[in-house]
Amino acid sequence: MSEQKAIVTDAPKGGVKYTSVDLPEPEHYDAKLSPVYIGICGTDRGEVAGALSFAYNPEGQNFLVLGHEALLRVDEVKDNDYIKKGDLVVPLVRRPGKCINCRIGRQDNCSIGDPDKHEAGITGLHGFMRDVLYDDIEYLVKVEDPDLGKIAVLTEPLKNVMKAFEVFDVVSKRSIFFGEDSTLIGKRMVIIGSGSEAFLYSFAGVDRGFDVTMVNRHDETENKLKMMDEFGVSFANYLKDMPEKIDLLVDTSGDPATVFKFIKKVNNNGIVILFGTNGKAPGYPVDGEDIDYIVERNITIAGSVDAAKIHYVQALQSLSNWNRRHPDAMKNMITYEAKPSETNIFFQKPHGEIKTVIKWQ
Amino acid sequence: MSEQKAIVTDAPKGGVKYTSVDLPEPEHYDAKLSPVYIGICGTDRGEVAGALSFAYNPEGQNFLVLGHEALLRVDEVKDNDYIKKGDLVVPLVRRPGKCINCRIGRQDNCSIGDPDKHEAGITGLHGFMRDVLYDDIEYLVKVEDPDLGKIAVLTEPLKNVMKAFEVFDVVSKRSIFFGEDSTLIGKRMVIIGSGSEAFLYSFAGVDRGFDVTMVNRHDETENKLKMMDEFGVSFANYLKDMPEKIDLLVDTSGDPATVFKFIKKVNNNGIVILFGTNGKAPGYPVDGEDIDYIVERNITIAGSVDAAKIHYVQALQSLSNWNRRHPDAMKNMITYEAKPSETNIFFQKPHGEIKTVIKWQ
Amino acid sequence: MSEQKAIVTDAPKGGVKYTSVDLPEPEHYDAKLSPVYIGICGTDRGEVAGALSFAYNPEGQNFLVLGHEALLRVDEVKDNDYIKKGDLVVPLVRRPGKCINCRIGRQDNCSIGDPDKHEAGITGLHGFMRDVLYDDIEYLVKVEDPDLGKIAVLTEPLKNVMKAFEVFDVVSKRSIFFGEDSTLIGKRMVIIGSGSEAFLYSFAGVDRGFDVTMVNRHDETENKLKMMDEFGVSFANYLKDMPEKIDLLVDTSGDPATVFKFIKKVNNNGIVILFGTNGKAPGYPVDGEDIDYIVERNITIAGSVDAAKIHYVQALQSLSNWNRRHPDAMKNMITYEAKPSETNIFFQKPHGEIKTVIKWQ
Amino acid sequence: MSEQKAIVTDAPKGGVKYTSVDLPEPEHYDAKLSPVYIGICGTDRGEVAGALSFAYNPEGQNFLVLGHEALLRVDEVKDNDYIKKGDLVVPLVRRPGKCINCRIGRQDNCSIGDPDKHEAGITGLHGFMRDVLYDDIEYLVKVEDPDLGKIAVLTEPLKNVMKAFEVFDVVSKRSIFFGEDSTLIGKRMVIIGSGSEAFLYSFAGVDRGFDVTMVNRHDETENKLKMMDEFGVSFANYLKDMPEKIDLLVDTSGDPATVFKFIKKVNNNGIVILFGTNGKAPGYPVDGEDIDYIVERNITIAGSVDAAKIHYVQALQSLSNWNRRHPDAMKNMITYEAKPSETNIFFQKPHGEIKTVIKWQ
Ligand SMILES: [Zn+2]
Ligand SMILES: [Zn+2]
Ligand SMILES: [Zn+2]
Ligand SMILES: [Zn+2]
Ligand SMILES: [Zn+2]
Ligand SMILES: [Zn+2]
Ligand SMILES: [Zn+2]
Ligand SMILES: [Zn+2]
């Protein structure tokens, strides 16, 4: 079968259509799959708006199937020990190239960048918003918890958080980061932003033992405050109430002005994870005192992008644990379920959005 | 004895005098020492110019003895296994406080900052530019190589380099930084600046196996180019010839404009060590694309300040090795030997300066 | 109050009594507590049997209160941010000395050993099997999950497992231990033994992603096999069916013959955690080929004892997650609840024992 | 050219001949080389004695060229940036297979073992004792120091030491191994054995800052004691004077009885490197108390074999530094230079041997 419905854009020009496309079956594949839920995020919207210059269509094609945050069902699969027909799986977004990091399954740390790697639904590889998918088992991560349901669609965004904590684990070894009792009790983690990735960072931070605060430059909705409260996360409108004495700072905004304002609140030996990107954010004058602040306090600033298969596995495990502990909060993470034909969700965020997903089946 | 000659300032106001001061013998000490050579650097000059607002006199005193880059001779010492009368030693600049890092001998990573620690000749503790010194053995590092001579005065600035490489070793573990053959052959290290610290970084980089380039925004003198050449270091005037594809970037300038210009030449998984400080450097507009660059490439930026006793030990060992391999280049590192009375060297760099030292005895 | 009921021995001679003892209130304490449940293990039984030569009474006393695996209730506590009256807490067993590891909260890694540290209920410090306890907040770990109940008494044995995995995380970095897809899928962990610690190791191994097998030299009871099955752990009677190709081997037996038989089944780059101890285990002839096997395969063998406060915190979190996922299996971990007066449990294991606990209140 | 002189054995049967062999030129090669010096060690002697069951001839051949400790001269080489005609180089012994460690240049950590890798002169790959050699640049390490001369033949045995210290660096991170002043001053390293590898370990230990003692079960010759003394290494006949309080123990004997006797002298958090192998060493009864000792003290025992290209590079750098500092001691390392025809050196150690080499040209 090759004629099927898909949500496509024309990268990097943009636009979006739910339409019939001709996608031939590949010569080799282990499994045939179909989407159950697919989340959308700023990347999808950026592509549709034509704002992501790095996005491009697969070679020789004039369209790109969208969708990278997928939960799929296995419809057919060759004999193997890992997955079987009917299983729910999450597919890897980035596929390996030939560099030294790619060849050990760490294409998230690709030494070369494009063209060494491809990201499904973003750079040269069709995404998952189409009726029929083919893939190899090594790129599929099984959902083990039968009670997780559609929450598993958060695996892809959460995997980034798991990798960022791996980076934190490595770089924080440069001094003793932990407290005098060997724990993180009383250590403060601040997350800039209050979108879905910020929530996932905050939940993972609580799991690690941090005292976690999410911040934004406005007050938050009752719904979001309640979810934070359930996980033991606090919130600050930083225009009114600027957090101080930060040990771990995570940015999901990509805005230099905000990032550097908060860096000057970071403690000695503090770690800053840069995760959010916003290529259009205006310049902020970083001066000699800012550099001096970072140097004198042995502060580490680490960019972190994408994640490896192990982080998808960890993400699924955390989702499962959170879902048992806080089922209401987790259900509230998915604020809107669209039909594939509702392509307007790529242009306009549904009101109160945390995560909008497309229910495919 | 308490009346003695010393070079003093009044921190943070500034000024400099070679004068008699009254410094009483402490109640407890292990060793009595006298200076042989003491180097001066931008910190000393900043204090004298009144430009370092963080400098301050010892409590209850209206002056501060200058000098932190010292080579001392042991004149008397209590019975011990480590040093004896006549030995040359290098004293630690920063003294421990009570925080978790200070209590394991890592005051360079102090979790609190002042007032938990004190730096001799800079913050609340008299420096080493005085006729008579008293200290405890645990804060003294023995010069083992009898052939090293005055080159040992470079131990203090070089210890910072050794600590920065320790930081590099830790943070670079977040991905595979080494090449496909497990070595650093072909990996490029660029050092911004061409002062004494930049030279020491470049020599240590060559030892590690990097392909090393020092850069500045002007051409360099024959003398400096010859020294670089002897160690296998190349030089680029980056206004004419901007290096690309950097794996390890070290900044000794403290200038944000330069730092961020070079960060955009750093490879995926690249490491940036921020070492230089210049509180008066003007602002440079860091924008969304700069943040994006760091995130997408998994780049790590690490401030690094001071060093621990182990780095003093490593520095002495490297100086010894370099001095045997390149004795002429090492001799050329010390470009001027002043008398203690030549206090004008605090205001004006001698022509062609790499390192100016005061020969005390 | 000083007269109270306690279970005591006379270390290292042995014996056990549930009796009234006179234990004066300490001059300083933050909290007054009472036991809820206290587990017993081979250490308690070894003390009672007079088989642990390293056990000793507190200085100047002729008895030692037993009990180190405690779940306590807070009856009174000074004003603080962490625990309040009525909370359940787990107390730390080992208390810090003055060495470099103790002073950063890592008395589990004490550089000196006794007399630098003391273990409650074992070496020179009264244990928790008494009506009234006094302690400082820094040595108490709060049970956060209200649904955990008596399962929290497993925190103390599980903390050892968490520390052992920390050791694994460090030592396994000497090569790439993970699979080609970056995960542990297909990596085999074998645990020698099928007692309570072996179960806790196996559950933690499954969480990490290992393919886990517990082994013993006999078949196992239906009850135990069912619990393993629920967690996805397999079992082998190694006399009939010897596992091969082990990546992570954990020994809980302390028996050299068994340990070395299994070491020769460990893969290249494999890790062996030695955890169990049995001072009376007979000698096993380790020969040149055994050493050769370890060398040629880059195998690492790590002794691991005790754990730090952070591992108690992690243990409580894992217990909470496991209890939600597998409540029946977790309940089955506690196979017998004794009254304090049933001191025969120190001499004779109740039939089918996994963990025997004393219900104090 | 294909007919040439070589020293061959018939693995694993043994025997040795200096004879003409027919070795055709390979289809592809970067460089043509010839031997200058080639060291011999217990491995060569074991092969010749027919005692190494794991040795085997190249596929389809009835002989194996010996020699793995080589110093070669480049006679021809294709255009490249790294080596040129006339350079001295050291060739890598082990060649990569396809496993995850081999594919990042770490065949020393091969996950599979043979047949994934081949070791020149030992397992299925001809060694370097032949008139003409062909190789690829990536497997050659350049001797940069023109003053090093024949000392460079020690690169191959020293590379093992460098890798062992890499292992030490990783595994010792599980606790604070360093002293309270952050250094290794006063930390004791003991090396079992006094052959050439033991010497190289001891010199490298001194460089790291350890207080180093070599031990053997007899007194040592004047020549060896003088060499140790020059480097600041002490010696103990452990039958008379057993060292205590060991922080880092390195075994070069492969003898279990000796290893386990010394393990019980290792401090808490101590590290044991197993390096020596002796498949015929008799069994030593390791008992429950031995296991207990390792567990209670958090001791780590790490097998370490072979090394990566980076360790060859580090070895050459250390040899260069040592040769400048202690030229006489380094010259004394090579105790006998044989001609290729003197094949009796494979059967009988020349008197007072540290390292015997064959001078090929
Ligand atoms: Zn997304
Ligand atoms: Zn790649
Ligand atoms: Zn300075
Ligand atoms: Zn401090
Ligand atoms: Zn116990
Ligand atoms: Zn201690
Ligand atoms: Zn050899
Ligand atoms: Zn391999």
Side-chain angles (χ1 to χ4, degrees), chain B residues 209-351:
Chain B
F210 281 100
D211 180 355
V212 180
T213 302
M214 285 165 73
V215 301
N216 216 324
R217 59 190 156 189
H218 49 67
D219 292 340
E220 261 310 340
T221 63
E222 275 309 301
N223 182 40
K224 288 194 176 181
L225 291 175
K226 212 180 124 199
M227 286 172 60
M228 293 174 199
D229 193 53
E230 205 176 325
F231 269 88
V233 172
S234 63
F235 176 78
N237 174 339
Y238 67 81
L239 296 185
K240 296 181 198 165
D241 177 18
M242 186 72 188
E244 308 276 337
K245 297 186 173 304
I246 302 170
D247 296 295
L248 171 58
L249 175 66
V250 174
D251 177 61
T252 72
S253 76
D255 179 51
T258 313
V259 168
F260 278 92
K261 194 175 303 175
F262 274 87
I263 283 179
K264 293 195 78 165
K265 303 299 182 185
V266 170
N267 282 334
N268 286 31
N269 304 317
I271 309 293
V272 179
I273 299 289
L274 298 181
F275 173 75
T277 58
N278 175 2
K280 298 194 166 161
Y284 171 82
V286 172
D287 65 19
E289 288 198 2
D290 295 312
I291 298 282
D292 189 78
Y293 188 96
I294 295 163
V295 172
E296 297 292 346
R297 281 161 191 78
N298 288 300
I299 288 170
T300 308
I301 302 169
S304 180
V305 71
D306 199 49
K309 190 172 174 185
I310 192 169
H311 304 117
Y312 287 78
V313 173
Q314 292 169 352
L316 275 161
Q317 193 177 33
S318 287
L319 287 172
S320 180
N321 289 332
W322 299 344
N323 192 43
R324 289 177 196 281
R325 228 181 304 147
H326 306 293
D328 292 343
M330 290 314 291
K331 225 161 282 153
N332 284 339
M333 285 290 291
I334 296 172
T335 42
Y336 186 71
E337 293 187 26
K339 281 176 289 197
S341 58
E342 293 181 63
T343 52
N344 61 315
I345 58 166
F346 289 95
F347 296 107
Q348 200 170 357
K349 286 191 191 182
H351 181 70

Side-chain angles (χ1 to χ4, degrees), chain B residues 38 64-68 119-122 125-130 133:
Chain B
I38 305 189
L64 172 72
V65 176
L66 283 167
H68 57 276
E119 293 190 310
I122 309 171
L125 204 65
H126 285 311
F128 306 116
M129 293 180 176
R130 44 179 159 146
L133 293 148

Side-chain angles (χ1 to χ4, degrees), chain D residues 191-224:
Chain D
I191 298 127
I192 302 171
S194 52
S196 58
E197 288 282 5
F199 269 93
L200 296 172
Y201 268 104
S202 76
F203 298 167
V206 168
D207 263 13
R208 294 294 188 108
F210 281 100
D211 181 355
V212 180
T213 303
M214 283 164 74
V215 301
N216 215 325
R217 57 190 155 188
H218 49 67
D219 292 339
E220 261 311 337
T221 63
E222 275 309 302
N223 181 38
K224 286 193 176 184

Side-chain angles (χ1 to χ4, degrees), chain D residues 3 23 31 35 45 53 149 185 207 217 263 298 308:
Chain D
E3 187 72 17
L23 292 166
R45 288 187 176 121
S53 57
I185 296 171
D207 263 13
R217 57 190 155 188
I263 282 179
N298 288 300

Side-chain angles (χ1 to χ4, degrees), chain C residues 108 174 284 286 298-299 301 303, chain D residues 108 174 284 286 299 301 303:
Chain C
D108 60 312
R174 55 177 288 197
Y284 171 82
V286 172
N298 288 301
I299 288 170
I301 301 169
Chain D
D108 59 312
R174 56 176 286 197
Y284 171 82
V286 171
I299 288 171
I301 302 169

Side-chain angles (χ1 to χ4, degrees), chain A residues 101 103 108-110 163 174 176 180 256 268-269 277-278 281 283-284 286-288 292 295 298-299 301 303 305, chain B residues 101 103-104 108-110 163 174 176 180 256 268-269 277-278 281 283-284 286-288 292 295 298-299 301 303 305:
Chain A
N101 281 291
R103 73 176 75 146
D108 60 310
N109 290 333
C110 182
K163 185 252 180 83
R174 56 176 287 195
I176 299 186
E180 300 188 9
N268 285 33
N269 304 317
T277 59
N278 175 3
Y284 171 82
V286 172
D287 65 18
D292 188 81
V295 173
N298 288 300
I299 287 170
I301 302 169
V305 71
Chain B
N101 281 291
R103 75 177 73 148
I104 60 163
D108 60 311
N109 290 333
C110 181
K163 184 252 180 83
R174 57 177 285 199
I176 300 186
E180 300 187 10
N268 286 31
N269 304 317
T277 58
N278 175 2
Y284 171 82
V286 172
D287 65 19
D292 189 78
V295 172
N298 288 300
I299 288 170
I301 302 169
V305 71

